[in-house]
Amino acid sequence: MNIILLGPPGAGKGTQAQHLVETRGMVQLSTGDMLRAARTSGTEMGKKVAEIMDAGKLVTDEIVIGLIEEQLTTQKGAGFIFDGFPRTLAQADALAALLTKLGQSLHTVIEMRVDDETLVQRIVNRAEQARAAGQPVRADDNAESVRVRLMEYYRKTSPLIGYYYAKGDLRPVNGLAEIKEVTASIEAILG
Ligand code: AMP
C-alpha cells in the first residue's frame, strides 16, 4: 500500500508518517529529510540546494524525482509513505510513471487540512521548542522563509489537490485535530 501525505508545511505530515512507520512497518520517503541529509554530508547536490531550501523555495523537479527513484528501487517495506513529495504536477506525473514501471500503484492521497494561521504558529513553535531543547533549528523555520514556503505551496503544490481529487484518490482529514485524532482518522481511511 503506497500513500501520499499531502498538505502545507506544518500540517503534521512528518508526525503522522512516523506513526505509520512504527505501527505498520511502512517506509517513509521524505524528500525534505533526504535533501537535509545531502546538505549535512556535503555532497555537490546538497551544496547546490542549500540556499534554495533556506529561502523556502522548491528545489528542481529533476533533483527530487532522482532522489525518489533511487529510494523506490532500493528500499523495501510494507508500502511507501510519500511525505513532502510530490509538490508539483510534474512530480506527480513522474511518481505515477515510476510506480507503474515498478508494477506498483498509489492507494490513497491523504490531504491534511490546516488553516494558515495555525500553520505559521506551528512552525514558529517547532523552532522555539528546538531552541529550548538545545537542538538545531531548521534554517527555513523563520518568518520570512515560512511565508515563501506557504506561497510555494499555494502556487505549485495545492493544484495537486484537484489533480488527485479528479483521479478519485483524495481523502481529506482534519489536520487541526489532536495528533491522536488525526492518527485515528488516517487509520480509518487505510483500514
Ligand atoms: P520539508 O521538510 O518537506 O518541509 O522540505 C523542506 C524543503 O526542502 C522545502 O522547502 C524545499 O526547499 C525542499 N523540498 C522538499 N521536498 C521537495 C519537493 N518534493 N520538491 C521541491 N523541493 C522540495
Side-chain angles (χ1 to χ4, degrees), residues 8-10 13 30-33 35-36 49 52-61 64-65 68 83-88 91 126 138 140-141 145 149 152 157:
K13 301 186 294 292
S30 158
T31 40
D33 286 349
L35 291 165
R36 279 184 288 275
V49 300
I52 302 170
M53 290 176 76
D54 290 353
K57 306 280 276 185
L58 294 188
V59 309
T60 64
D61 289 334
V64 289
I65 291 166
I68 284 289
D83 162 11
F85 178 93
R87 262 174 154 103
T88 63
Q91 291 177 23
R126 175 164 75 188
R138 278 177 54 164
D140 59 353
D141 276 356
S145 298
R149 281 157 69 196
E152 290 284 86
T157 308

mmCIF file of all heavy atoms in Angstrom, residues 8-10 13 30-33 35-36 49 52-61 64-65 68 83-88 91 126 138 140-141 145 149 152 157, ligand 1:
data_model
loop_
_atom_site.group_PDB
_atom_site.id
_atom_site.type_symbol
_atom_site.label_atom_id
_atom_site.label_comp_id
_atom_site.label_asym_id
_atom_site.label_seq_id
_atom_site.Cartn_x
_atom_site.Cartn_y
_atom_site.Cartn_z
ATOM 1 N N PRO A 8 0.226 21.478 3.450
ATOM 2 C CA PRO A 8 1.218 22.556 3.551
ATOM 3 C C PRO A 8 2.266 22.286 4.630
ATOM 4 O O PRO A 8 2.086 21.380 5.450
ATOM 5 C CB PRO A 8 0.364 23.779 3.908
ATOM 6 C CG PRO A 8 -0.885 23.224 4.486
ATOM 7 C CD PRO A 8 -1.111 21.888 3.859
ATOM 8 N N PRO A 9 3.343 23.074 4.636
ATOM 9 C CA PRO A 9 4.348 22.916 5.697
ATOM 10 C C PRO A 9 3.697 23.132 7.056
ATOM 11 O O PRO A 9 2.900 24.047 7.207
ATOM 12 C CB PRO A 9 5.384 24.012 5.391
ATOM 13 C CG PRO A 9 4.710 24.964 4.457
ATOM 14 C CD PRO A 9 3.687 24.169 3.707
ATOM 15 N N GLY A 10 4.005 22.255 8.012
ATOM 16 C CA GLY A 10 3.443 22.401 9.353
ATOM 17 C C GLY A 10 2.113 21.693 9.535
ATOM 18 O O GLY A 10 1.501 21.776 10.598
ATOM 19 N N LYS A 13 2.581 16.229 8.531
ATOM 20 C CA LYS A 13 2.863 15.086 7.667
ATOM 21 C C LYS A 13 3.936 14.180 8.278
ATOM 22 O O LYS A 13 3.775 12.964 8.325
ATOM 23 C CB LYS A 13 3.333 15.557 6.275
ATOM 24 C CG LYS A 13 2.331 16.446 5.546
ATOM 25 C CD LYS A 13 2.795 16.762 4.123
ATOM 26 C CE LYS A 13 4.046 17.620 4.044
ATOM 27 N NZ LYS A 13 3.855 19.028 4.515
ATOM 28 N N SER A 30 10.706 10.937 2.748
ATOM 29 C CA SER A 30 10.584 12.385 2.884
ATOM 30 C C SER A 30 11.685 13.049 2.072
ATOM 31 O O SER A 30 12.870 12.919 2.403
ATOM 32 C CB SER A 30 10.715 12.771 4.367
ATOM 33 O OG SER A 30 11.098 14.130 4.488
ATOM 34 N N THR A 31 11.307 13.751 1.024
ATOM 35 C CA THR A 31 12.319 14.414 0.205
ATOM 36 C C THR A 31 13.010 15.528 0.998
ATOM 37 O O THR A 31 14.196 15.783 0.801
ATOM 38 C CB THR A 31 11.715 14.976 -1.103
ATOM 39 O OG1 THR A 31 10.436 15.542 -0.825
ATOM 40 C CG2 THR A 31 11.573 13.890 -2.140
ATOM 41 N N GLY A 32 12.279 16.154 1.938
ATOM 42 C CA GLY A 32 12.884 17.172 2.802
ATOM 43 C C GLY A 32 14.023 16.570 3.623
ATOM 44 O O GLY A 32 15.122 17.131 3.700
ATOM 45 N N ASP A 33 13.772 15.387 4.232
ATOM 46 C CA ASP A 33 14.810 14.709 5.014
ATOM 47 C C ASP A 33 15.990 14.314 4.124
ATOM 48 O O ASP A 33 17.151 14.448 4.512
ATOM 49 C CB ASP A 33 14.253 13.445 5.688
ATOM 50 C CG ASP A 33 13.349 13.769 6.876
ATOM 51 O OD1 ASP A 33 13.312 14.947 7.303
ATOM 52 O OD2 ASP A 33 12.673 12.836 7.370
ATOM 53 N N LEU A 35 16.989 15.734 1.371
ATOM 54 C CA LEU A 35 17.741 16.931 0.981
ATOM 55 C C LEU A 35 18.570 17.458 2.153
ATOM 56 O O LEU A 35 19.713 17.877 1.969
ATOM 57 C CB LEU A 35 16.783 18.015 0.479
ATOM 58 C CG LEU A 35 16.098 17.720 -0.868
ATOM 59 C CD1 LEU A 35 14.919 18.657 -1.093
ATOM 60 C CD2 LEU A 35 17.098 17.842 -2.015
ATOM 61 N N ARG A 36 17.991 17.401 3.360
ATOM 62 C CA ARG A 36 18.764 17.857 4.538
ATOM 63 C C ARG A 36 19.963 16.944 4.774
ATOM 64 O O ARG A 36 21.054 17.405 5.118
ATOM 65 C CB ARG A 36 17.860 17.937 5.780
ATOM 66 C CG ARG A 36 17.029 19.221 5.817
ATOM 67 C CD ARG A 36 16.213 19.343 7.102
ATOM 68 N NE ARG A 36 15.110 18.409 7.126
ATOM 69 C CZ ARG A 36 13.916 18.630 6.568
ATOM 70 N NH1 ARG A 36 13.676 19.769 5.946
ATOM 71 N NH2 ARG A 36 12.961 17.720 6.624
ATOM 72 N N VAL A 49 21.525 22.837 -3.332
ATOM 73 C CA VAL A 49 20.145 23.095 -2.920
ATOM 74 C C VAL A 49 20.031 23.886 -1.614
ATOM 75 O O VAL A 49 18.963 24.381 -1.281
ATOM 76 C CB VAL A 49 19.326 21.788 -2.790
ATOM 77 C CG1 VAL A 49 19.283 21.062 -4.115
ATOM 78 C CG2 VAL A 49 19.841 20.899 -1.685
ATOM 79 N N ILE A 52 18.525 27.426 -1.779
ATOM 80 C CA ILE A 52 17.124 27.375 -2.218
ATOM 81 C C ILE A 52 16.233 26.951 -1.053
ATOM 82 O O ILE A 52 15.188 27.556 -0.788
ATOM 83 C CB ILE A 52 16.959 26.377 -3.387
ATOM 84 C CG1 ILE A 52 17.863 26.763 -4.560
ATOM 85 C CG2 ILE A 52 15.501 26.282 -3.822
ATOM 86 C CD1 ILE A 52 17.942 25.712 -5.647
ATOM 87 N N MET A 53 16.662 25.918 -0.337
ATOM 88 C CA MET A 53 15.874 25.414 0.799
ATOM 89 C C MET A 53 15.745 26.473 1.893
ATOM 90 O O MET A 53 14.658 26.678 2.440
ATOM 91 C CB MET A 53 16.528 24.172 1.399
ATOM 92 C CG MET A 53 16.451 22.962 0.511
ATOM 93 S SD MET A 53 17.355 21.591 1.238
ATOM 94 C CE MET A 53 16.217 21.070 2.526
ATOM 95 N N ASP A 54 16.858 27.108 2.207
ATOM 96 C CA ASP A 54 16.824 28.097 3.296
ATOM 97 C C ASP A 54 15.912 29.266 2.972
ATOM 98 O O ASP A 54 15.308 29.868 3.852
ATOM 99 C CB ASP A 54 18.240 28.598 3.628
ATOM 100 C CG ASP A 54 19.070 27.508 4.287
ATOM 101 O OD1 ASP A 54 18.483 26.451 4.596
ATOM 102 O OD2 ASP A 54 20.275 27.693 4.483
ATOM 103 N N ALA A 55 15.802 29.571 1.680
ATOM 104 C CA ALA A 55 14.921 30.666 1.273
ATOM 105 C C ALA A 55 13.455 30.236 1.275
ATOM 106 O O ALA A 55 12.558 31.071 1.200
ATOM 107 C CB ALA A 55 15.326 31.147 -0.116
ATOM 108 N N GLY A 56 13.224 28.915 1.336
ATOM 109 C CA GLY A 56 11.845 28.423 1.358
ATOM 110 C C GLY A 56 11.285 28.085 -0.010
ATOM 111 O O GLY A 56 10.109 27.760 -0.155
ATOM 112 N N LYS A 57 12.166 28.142 -1.048
ATOM 113 C CA LYS A 57 11.719 27.825 -2.415
ATOM 114 C C LYS A 57 11.808 26.319 -2.664
ATOM 115 O O LYS A 57 12.505 25.601 -1.951
ATOM 116 C CB LYS A 57 12.610 28.547 -3.438
ATOM 117 C CG LYS A 57 12.719 30.038 -3.248
ATOM 118 C CD LYS A 57 11.548 30.785 -3.799
ATOM 119 C CE LYS A 57 11.716 31.039 -5.284
ATOM 120 N NZ LYS A 57 10.611 31.886 -5.795
ATOM 121 N N LEU A 58 11.135 25.861 -3.709
ATOM 122 C CA LEU A 58 11.229 24.453 -4.079
ATOM 123 C C LEU A 58 12.490 24.209 -4.892
ATOM 124 O O LEU A 58 12.846 25.018 -5.753
ATOM 125 C CB LEU A 58 10.016 24.022 -4.910
ATOM 126 C CG LEU A 58 8.654 24.015 -4.237
ATOM 127 C CD1 LEU A 58 7.617 23.373 -5.161
ATOM 128 C CD2 LEU A 58 8.683 23.306 -2.892
ATOM 129 N N VAL A 59 13.152 23.081 -4.645
ATOM 130 C CA VAL A 59 14.292 22.707 -5.474
ATOM 131 C C VAL A 59 13.738 22.090 -6.763
ATOM 132 O O VAL A 59 12.541 21.830 -6.878
ATOM 133 C CB VAL A 59 15.257 21.741 -4.740
ATOM 134 C CG1 VAL A 59 15.637 22.291 -3.377
ATOM 135 C CG2 VAL A 59 14.666 20.360 -4.601
ATOM 136 N N THR A 60 14.605 21.857 -7.752
ATOM 137 C CA THR A 60 14.097 21.432 -9.070
ATOM 138 C C THR A 60 13.446 20.045 -9.008
ATOM 139 O O THR A 60 13.830 19.189 -8.205
ATOM 140 C CB THR A 60 15.233 21.376 -10.119
ATOM 141 O OG1 THR A 60 16.161 20.360 -9.715
ATOM 142 C CG2 THR A 60 15.949 22.711 -10.236
ATOM 143 N N ASP A 61 12.489 19.861 -9.907
ATOM 144 C CA ASP A 61 11.805 18.570 -10.013
ATOM 145 C C ASP A 61 12.821 17.458 -10.274
ATOM 146 O O ASP A 61 12.730 16.372 -9.709
ATOM 147 C CB ASP A 61 10.795 18.601 -11.176
ATOM 148 C CG ASP A 61 9.593 19.478 -10.855
ATOM 149 O OD1 ASP A 61 9.277 19.655 -9.657
ATOM 150 O OD2 ASP A 61 8.974 19.994 -11.810
ATOM 151 N N VAL A 64 14.546 16.141 -7.009
ATOM 152 C CA VAL A 64 13.735 15.341 -6.074
ATOM 153 C C VAL A 64 13.215 14.056 -6.726
ATOM 154 O O VAL A 64 13.125 13.018 -6.060
ATOM 155 C CB VAL A 64 12.576 16.141 -5.444
ATOM 156 C CG1 VAL A 64 13.106 17.157 -4.459
ATOM 157 C CG2 VAL A 64 11.694 16.782 -6.465
ATOM 158 N N ILE A 65 12.945 14.100 -8.020
ATOM 159 C CA ILE A 65 12.492 12.881 -8.700
ATOM 160 C C ILE A 65 13.629 11.851 -8.694
ATOM 161 O O ILE A 65 13.411 10.665 -8.452
ATOM 162 C CB ILE A 65 12.007 13.191 -10.145
ATOM 163 C CG1 ILE A 65 10.706 14.009 -10.076
ATOM 164 C CG2 ILE A 65 11.785 11.903 -10.941
ATOM 165 C CD1 ILE A 65 10.298 14.673 -11.387
ATOM 166 N N ILE A 68 13.815 10.278 -5.238
ATOM 167 C CA ILE A 68 12.712 9.337 -5.013
ATOM 168 C C ILE A 68 12.934 8.045 -5.792
ATOM 169 O O ILE A 68 12.755 6.936 -5.276
ATOM 170 C CB ILE A 68 11.355 9.991 -5.395
ATOM 171 C CG1 ILE A 68 10.910 10.987 -4.319
ATOM 172 C CG2 ILE A 68 10.279 8.944 -5.637
ATOM 173 C CD1 ILE A 68 10.445 10.372 -3.003
ATOM 174 N N ASP A 83 6.127 11.676 1.776
ATOM 175 C CA ASP A 83 5.953 12.785 2.727
ATOM 176 C C ASP A 83 6.691 14.001 2.153
ATOM 177 O O ASP A 83 7.908 14.013 2.087
ATOM 178 C CB ASP A 83 6.528 12.319 4.080
ATOM 179 C CG ASP A 83 6.811 13.469 5.038
ATOM 180 O OD1 ASP A 83 6.389 14.613 4.774
ATOM 181 O OD2 ASP A 83 7.470 13.205 6.068
ATOM 182 N N GLY A 84 5.911 14.996 1.694
ATOM 183 C CA GLY A 84 6.550 16.171 1.097
ATOM 184 C C GLY A 84 6.899 15.968 -0.363
ATOM 185 O O GLY A 84 7.624 16.757 -0.957
ATOM 186 N N PHE A 85 6.404 14.916 -0.950
ATOM 187 C CA PHE A 85 6.572 14.603 -2.373
ATOM 188 C C PHE A 85 5.325 13.867 -2.821
ATOM 189 O O PHE A 85 4.863 13.008 -2.090
ATOM 190 C CB PHE A 85 7.809 13.720 -2.593
ATOM 191 C CG PHE A 85 8.012 13.334 -4.038
ATOM 192 C CD1 PHE A 85 8.815 14.092 -4.869
ATOM 193 C CD2 PHE A 85 7.372 12.206 -4.566
ATOM 194 C CE1 PHE A 85 8.991 13.741 -6.204
ATOM 195 C CE2 PHE A 85 7.540 11.862 -5.908
ATOM 196 C CZ PHE A 85 8.348 12.627 -6.720
ATOM 197 N N PRO A 86 4.746 14.160 -3.970
ATOM 198 C CA PRO A 86 5.122 15.199 -4.921
ATOM 199 C C PRO A 86 4.667 16.588 -4.464
ATOM 200 O O PRO A 86 3.737 16.725 -3.686
ATOM 201 C CB PRO A 86 4.374 14.783 -6.188
ATOM 202 C CG PRO A 86 3.167 14.040 -5.701
ATOM 203 C CD PRO A 86 3.586 13.369 -4.423
ATOM 204 N N ARG A 87 5.333 17.620 -4.980
ATOM 205 C CA ARG A 87 4.998 19.000 -4.655
ATOM 206 C C ARG A 87 4.652 19.813 -5.896
ATOM 207 O O ARG A 87 4.331 20.993 -5.775
ATOM 208 C CB ARG A 87 6.172 19.660 -3.949
ATOM 209 C CG ARG A 87 6.057 19.686 -2.416
ATOM 210 C CD ARG A 87 7.361 20.236 -1.913
ATOM 211 N NE ARG A 87 7.341 20.896 -0.650
ATOM 212 C CZ ARG A 87 7.779 20.375 0.487
ATOM 213 N NH1 ARG A 87 8.160 19.121 0.538
ATOM 214 N NH2 ARG A 87 7.818 21.099 1.587
ATOM 215 N N THR A 88 4.757 19.197 -7.062
ATOM 216 C CA THR A 88 4.366 19.870 -8.312
ATOM 217 C C THR A 88 3.647 18.825 -9.179
ATOM 218 O O THR A 88 3.787 17.612 -8.945
ATOM 219 C CB THR A 88 5.589 20.379 -9.109
ATOM 220 O OG1 THR A 88 6.380 19.247 -9.501
ATOM 221 C CG2 THR A 88 6.443 21.346 -8.301
ATOM 222 N N GLN A 91 6.077 16.444 -10.706
ATOM 223 C CA GLN A 91 6.497 15.390 -9.777
ATOM 224 C C GLN A 91 5.421 14.319 -9.646
ATOM 225 O O GLN A 91 5.715 13.124 -9.535
ATOM 226 C CB GLN A 91 6.814 15.988 -8.401
ATOM 227 C CG GLN A 91 8.066 16.865 -8.387
ATOM 228 C CD GLN A 91 8.318 17.499 -7.022
ATOM 229 O OE1 GLN A 91 7.858 17.003 -5.991
ATOM 230 N NE2 GLN A 91 9.054 18.599 -7.013
ATOM 231 N N ARG A 126 7.694 25.024 16.576
ATOM 232 C CA ARG A 126 8.685 23.968 16.329
ATOM 233 C C ARG A 126 10.091 24.538 16.496
ATOM 234 O O ARG A 126 10.949 23.924 17.117
ATOM 235 C CB ARG A 126 8.495 23.410 14.907
ATOM 236 C CG ARG A 126 9.530 22.393 14.501
ATOM 237 C CD ARG A 126 9.094 21.604 13.285
ATOM 238 N NE ARG A 126 9.179 22.348 12.044
ATOM 239 C CZ ARG A 126 8.703 21.908 10.879
ATOM 240 N NH1 ARG A 126 8.078 20.755 10.809
ATOM 241 N NH2 ARG A 126 8.826 22.628 9.786
ATOM 242 N N ARG A 138 15.731 24.300 12.231
ATOM 243 C CA ARG A 138 15.757 24.303 10.767
ATOM 244 C C ARG A 138 15.950 25.726 10.259
ATOM 245 O O ARG A 138 15.249 26.636 10.677
ATOM 246 C CB ARG A 138 14.452 23.730 10.219
ATOM 247 C CG ARG A 138 14.424 22.221 10.195
ATOM 248 C CD ARG A 138 13.091 21.691 9.716
ATOM 249 N NE ARG A 138 12.670 22.226 8.420
ATOM 250 C CZ ARG A 138 11.715 21.687 7.674
ATOM 251 N NH1 ARG A 138 11.093 20.605 8.096
ATOM 252 N NH2 ARG A 138 11.374 22.230 6.533
ATOM 253 N N ASP A 140 15.079 27.006 7.654
ATOM 254 C CA ASP A 140 13.911 27.553 6.947
ATOM 255 C C ASP A 140 12.703 27.738 7.867
ATOM 256 O O ASP A 140 11.622 28.065 7.411
ATOM 257 C CB ASP A 140 13.555 26.697 5.726
ATOM 258 C CG ASP A 140 13.247 25.244 6.071
ATOM 259 O OD1 ASP A 140 13.437 24.858 7.244
ATOM 260 O OD2 ASP A 140 12.817 24.502 5.172
ATOM 261 N N ASP A 141 12.879 27.524 9.152
ATOM 262 C CA ASP A 141 11.788 27.763 10.109
ATOM 263 C C ASP A 141 11.846 29.188 10.672
ATOM 264 O O ASP A 141 11.758 29.398 11.875
ATOM 265 C CB ASP A 141 11.825 26.736 11.255
ATOM 266 C CG ASP A 141 11.118 25.430 10.881
ATOM 267 O OD1 ASP A 141 10.538 25.360 9.779
ATOM 268 O OD2 ASP A 141 11.151 24.496 11.687
ATOM 269 N N SER A 145 11.116 32.755 5.542
ATOM 270 C CA SER A 145 11.099 31.504 4.778
ATOM 271 C C SER A 145 9.730 30.830 4.852
ATOM 272 O O SER A 145 9.277 30.241 3.869
ATOM 273 C CB SER A 145 12.160 30.535 5.290
ATOM 274 O OG SER A 145 13.433 31.088 5.122
ATOM 275 N N ARG A 149 7.525 29.591 1.854
ATOM 276 C CA ARG A 149 7.118 28.175 1.756
ATOM 277 C C ARG A 149 5.614 28.068 1.552
ATOM 278 O O ARG A 149 5.136 27.230 0.780
ATOM 279 C CB ARG A 149 7.565 27.411 2.998
ATOM 280 C CG ARG A 149 9.053 27.052 2.954
ATOM 281 C CD ARG A 149 9.630 26.807 4.323
ATOM 282 N NE ARG A 149 9.128 25.598 4.952
ATOM 283 C CZ ARG A 149 9.254 25.335 6.251
ATOM 284 N NH1 ARG A 149 9.839 26.215 7.051
ATOM 285 N NH2 ARG A 149 8.790 24.225 6.741
ATOM 286 N N GLU A 152 4.865 29.065 -2.041
ATOM 287 C CA GLU A 152 5.237 27.963 -2.936
ATOM 288 C C GLU A 152 4.168 26.874 -2.885
ATOM 289 O O GLU A 152 3.808 26.289 -3.899
ATOM 290 C CB GLU A 152 6.598 27.365 -2.528
ATOM 291 C CG GLU A 152 7.786 28.269 -2.800
ATOM 292 C CD GLU A 152 8.153 28.288 -4.278
ATOM 293 O OE1 GLU A 152 7.538 29.095 -5.007
ATOM 294 O OE2 GLU A 152 9.043 27.530 -4.693
ATOM 295 N N THR A 157 1.958 23.502 -5.224
ATOM 296 C CA THR A 157 1.555 22.196 -4.680
ATOM 297 C C THR A 157 0.045 22.040 -4.556
ATOM 298 O O THR A 157 -0.484 20.958 -4.812
ATOM 299 C CB THR A 157 2.226 21.961 -3.304
ATOM 300 O OG1 THR A 157 3.627 22.176 -3.432
ATOM 301 C CG2 THR A 157 1.997 20.548 -2.796
HETATM 302 P P1 AMP B 1 10.058 19.758 4.044
HETATM 303 O O1 AMP B 1 10.939 19.110 5.060
HETATM 304 O O2 AMP B 1 9.175 18.766 3.343
HETATM 305 O O3 AMP B 1 9.295 20.916 4.591
HETATM 306 O O4 AMP B 1 11.022 20.339 2.897
HETATM 307 C C1 AMP B 1 11.986 21.330 3.201
HETATM 308 C C2 AMP B 1 12.475 21.990 1.924
HETATM 309 O O5 AMP B 1 13.077 21.025 1.060
HETATM 310 C C3 AMP B 1 11.383 22.627 1.062
HETATM 311 O O6 AMP B 1 11.040 23.926 1.488
HETATM 312 C C4 AMP B 1 12.057 22.616 -0.311
HETATM 313 O O7 AMP B 1 13.048 23.618 -0.394
HETATM 314 C C5 AMP B 1 12.756 21.283 -0.299
HETATM 315 N N1 AMP B 1 11.877 20.185 -0.784
HETATM 316 C C6 AMP B 1 11.438 19.110 -0.072
HETATM 317 N N2 AMP B 1 10.681 18.306 -0.825
HETATM 318 C C7 AMP B 1 10.613 18.883 -2.053
HETATM 319 C C8 AMP B 1 9.961 18.552 -3.273
HETATM 320 N N3 AMP B 1 9.196 17.439 -3.383
HETATM 321 N N4 AMP B 1 10.123 19.396 -4.334
HETATM 322 C C9 AMP B 1 10.879 20.505 -4.247
HETATM 323 N N5 AMP B 1 11.510 20.885 -3.124
HETATM 324 C C10 AMP B 1 11.387 20.091 -2.025
#
